[in-house]
Amino acid sequence: MTFREFWQPLTTIYPEDEARWIGRFVFEEKYALTHADLLMGKETDIEEGELRELQQRLLTGEPVQYVLGEAPFGDRLFKVSPAVLIPRPETLWLCQGIDHQPSTLHHPPSTILDIGTGSGCIAVTIALNAPATHVTAWDISDEALAIARANAERLQADVTFEQQDALNPPDDTRRWDVIVSNPPYICEQEKAAMEHNVLDFEPHLALFVPNDDPLRFYRAIGKYAVKALRPAGRLYFEINPLYAEELSEMLQAQGFDEVRICQDDNQKDRYIVAWKQRNQ
């Protein structure tokens, strides 16, 4: 089977550019074939039955990241399974924001908590980018924590993992310099506009919130953070742009000193950072 014969049928469910990218990802990551290798026809050395099996799974809409069991995040590959969300490039903005956001602390953050870690992509990335920082990651799912621990071990990141329900956090006071979270934030009513490969394969527990309570996780985490952060500590959230202003107002009402909505390169509201007062 040629490279083109592999990806061309995928255009029945994906745009052509995406179908070609999926094909490249399979051949590069699973078979270590470069673009030059594909131009020389080296993919025809692969057993066709194996390629047909991969192709058939992809034609059901199963994400290529689940088919291969790994997904890129920044310049690293993370192990994934249907127990965790597939890391998105957009989430890198959270990690970059923590790295580059001007700090009101007198020293670099030494303790960082990632709430709802999933694959561990945020916690592991932060730990590797700032090795002097102690990073802790929470998740309610045993399966997710197993994936996250495997990623930390494989990438040699020093992260402490704990099973914890974000909606029922402990009664901590002044424990963290930074708290970061990419919580569930998609309302049930938004399902109609979503791609079926997300709806059919990715964990709904990590995606959806009730229509009548879109800020459910933000509220619980914000309430915890305003006590658990040290003075001048920071809270970072990936956000649903539909509720950015409402979330900002809620965080201010909870007692955060300053709340800033941050945009990505496409001028889309991507995350929020909130500062705790120095004297809290």
Side-chain angles (χ1 to χ4, degrees):
M1 181 186 291
T2 66
F3 171 59
R4 185 175 185 85
E5 288 171 338
F6 182 84
W7 69 260
Q8 186 71 46
L10 302 180
T11 58
T12 58
I13 56 175
Y14 296 106
E16 182 171 321
D17 287 348
E18 187 172 358
R20 187 183 291 108
W21 176 86
I22 290 171
R24 285 282 300 276
F25 187 68
V26 169
F27 283 102
E28 288 178 2
E29 298 305 327
K30 186 170 179 62
Y31 301 107
L33 293 178
T34 66
H35 181 58
D37 291 332
L38 296 176
L39 290 176
M40 290 187 291
K42 290 187 177 181
E43 74 275 22
T44 55
D45 295 335
I46 302 170
E47 199 275 314
E48 184 171 346
E50 183 177 359
L51 287 176
R52 292 286 181 198
E53 182 179 345
L54 291 172
Q55 186 185 63
Q56 288 305 308
R57 289 180 64 182
L58 293 167
L59 285 170
T60 69
E62 183 177 358
V64 64
Q65 295 90 340
Y66 289 156
V67 171
L68 297 188
E70 58 186 20
F73 187 70
D75 58 357
R76 302 179 179 99
L77 279 175
F78 283 77
K79 175 181 173 65
V80 295
S81 80
V84 300
L85 289 181
I86 296 168
R88 263 63 173 190
E90 296 85 356
T91 302
L92 274 173
W93 285 86
L94 278 180
C95 303
Q96 293 165 354
I98 292 170
D99 286 342
H100 303 301
Q101 190 74 45
S103 176
T104 56
L105 297 167
H106 294 299
H107 54 81
S110 60
T111 56
I112 295 179
L113 172 65
D114 173 27
I115 299 180
T117 196
S119 67
C121 61
I122 293 174
V124 169
T125 297
I126 293 171
L128 292 174
N129 290 350
T133 301
H134 180 74
V135 180
T136 300
W138 290 354
D139 206 286
I140 195 173
S141 165
D142 285 326
E143 293 175 287
L145 287 171
I147 294 289
R149 287 191 180 100
N151 281 319
E153 182 177 347
R154 183 171 67 166
L155 294 169
Q156 298 184 308
D158 185 9
V159 180
T160 300
F161 294 97
E162 299 176 0
Q163 187 170 38
Q164 178 62 58
D165 182 358
L167 297 177
N168 294 285
D171 188 20
D172 292 328
T173 302
R174 297 189 175 190
R175 183 179 175 186
W176 314 101
D177 291 317
V178 169
I179 295 175
V180 58
S181 183
N182 178 18
Y185 59 65
I186 301 173
C187 288
E188 293 282 344
Q189 63 193 11
E190 298 178 68
K191 284 183 177 180
M194 296 177 67
E195 298 292 337
H196 81 89
N197 59 325
V198 175
L199 285 175
D200 293 349
F201 293 96
E202 298 203 49
H204 287 202
L205 178 67
L207 286 171
F208 296 109
V209 288
N211 293 333
D212 60 355
D213 194 8
L215 302 184
R216 182 183 187 191
F217 284 90
Y218 295 112
R219 185 183 304 106
I221 295 170
K223 182 179 178 181
Y224 169 75
V226 81
K227 288 182 59 182
L229 283 170
R230 293 170 180 160
R234 290 169 281 158
L235 171 63
Y236 291 83
F237 280 131
E238 184 166 328
I239 62 173
N240 185 334
L242 296 174
Y243 302 101
E245 292 296 337
E246 186 178 346
L247 175 55
S248 176
E249 292 172 4
M250 185 199 75
L251 291 171
Q252 292 177 63
Q254 286 182 326
F256 286 93
D257 188 37
E258 180 184 350
V259 180
R260 186 179 305 170
I261 300 171
C262 302
Q263 296 182 323
D264 61 21
D265 287 342
N266 296 316
Q267 286 70 57
K268 182 176 181 180
D269 293 342
R270 180 59 58 195
Y271 69 92
I272 269 183
V273 55
W275 281 264
K276 182 176 177 178
Q277 295 179 13
R278 285 181 177 272
N279 58 359
Q280 279 186 318

